[in-house]
């Protein structure tokens, strides 16, 4: 009696080069460029260090509050997301064995051409004017003097 030997072929994938979890943790606990340094992006790490130092300095020296605090929080979240995305991109390149075209161009959905941008631009302009009024760059009296312009534009 002849026995059949079935050999199963294993596919061994190379270990990913960068851990997205470690990139997240480094960026979360050390938000001054350690995530990009871990990913091998030294220039970006130094740029993040300068941006972070500048934003922290603006917190105590300057009249940029609360804007500087909001920008610091946004930068903190951005650099965490960026470090994780770069680590994932490095891993995809390692798995595919070379250069991979940028996924942003592939994954971006087509822009919707129907409709108008009028209301979006109007709301952004209104928000900007009211923000300037809140920070007393312009007075609300000046804004109210130009209310007929809004009627003309609409």
């Amino acid at each position: 009696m002849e026995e059949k030997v079935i050999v199963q072929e294993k596919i061994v994938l190379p270990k990913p080069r960068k851990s997205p979890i470690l990139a997240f943790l480094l960026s979360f606990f050390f938000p001054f460029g350690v995530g990009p340094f871990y990913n091998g992006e030294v220039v970006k790490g130094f740029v993040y260090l300068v941006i972070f130092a500048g934003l922290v300095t603006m917190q105590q020296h300057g009249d940029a509050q609360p804007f500087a605090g909001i920008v610091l929080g946004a930068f903190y979240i951005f650099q965490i997301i960026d470090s994780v995305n770069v680590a994932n991109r490095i891993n995809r390149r390692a798995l595919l064995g070379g250069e991979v075209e940028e996924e942003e161009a592939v994954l971006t959905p087509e822009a919707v051409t129907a409709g108008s941008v009028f209301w979006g631009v109007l709301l952004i302009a209104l928000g900007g004017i009211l923000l300037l009024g809140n920070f007393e760059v312009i007075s609300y009296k000046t804004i109210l003097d130009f209310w007929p312009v809004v009627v003309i534009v609409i």
Side-chain angles (χ1 to χ4, degrees), residues 18-93:
K18 300 292 179 183
S19 169
I21 295 172
L22 184 57
F24 170 81
L25 291 174
L26 288 173
S27 295
F28 185 80
F29 289 113
F30 306 105
F32 42 84
V34 178
F37 283 128
Y38 169 73
N39 287 329
E41 299 178 319
V42 178
V43 174
K44 186 189 279 188
F46 281 119
V47 170
Y48 281 9
L49 176 65
V50 170
I51 291 172
F52 185 76
L55 288 173
V56 169
T57 303
M58 286 175 60
Q59 298 298 314
Q60 296 181 2
H61 306 291
D63 299 326
Q65 291 298 334
F67 181 71
I70 294 170
V71 172
L72 179 63
F75 175 73
Y76 176 74
I77 292 170
F78 164 77
Q79 59 92 24
I80 291 173
I81 294 170
D82 181 59
S83 295
V84 171
N85 286 340
V86 169
N88 285 328
R89 189 177 312 128
I90 290 170
N91 291 341
R92 279 193 298 274
R93 284 186 186 142

